[in-house]
Amino acid sequence: MAALHPGVSAQLREYYQSVQEEGIPERFLQLLERLDVAERQASEDTRIKDTAR
């Protein structure tokens, strides 16, 4: 197994930190909200079908 370059972990930490600090784009937040709504509706539909049996 090859040894990692000593600076790789520091570079990855720095990159990860910069990504965390970026904020979430509004369009992505809207898509996440639509997904949440769809998942809730699917869950409700499943419960209704299960209780109808």
Side-chain angles (χ1 to χ4, degrees):
M1 178 182 252
L4 291 177
H5 185 274
V8 171
S9 63
Q11 289 172 343
L12 287 173
R13 283 187 185 93
E14 183 180 319
Y15 177 74
Y16 182 74
Q17 183 67 33
S18 71
V19 170
Q20 282 186 315
E21 292 170 358
E22 280 181 15
I24 301 172
E26 185 62 31
R27 175 75 176 130
F28 190 68
L29 290 172
Q30 292 169 353
L31 290 171
L32 289 173
E33 179 60 30
R34 288 174 57 194
L35 177 60
D36 287 342
V37 169
E39 287 177 335
R40 284 193 298 270
Q41 288 175 343
S43 178
E44 289 173 13
D45 290 347
T46 301
R47 279 196 303 264
I48 290 170
K49 288 178 185 176
D50 287 344
T51 59
R53 290 183 189 180

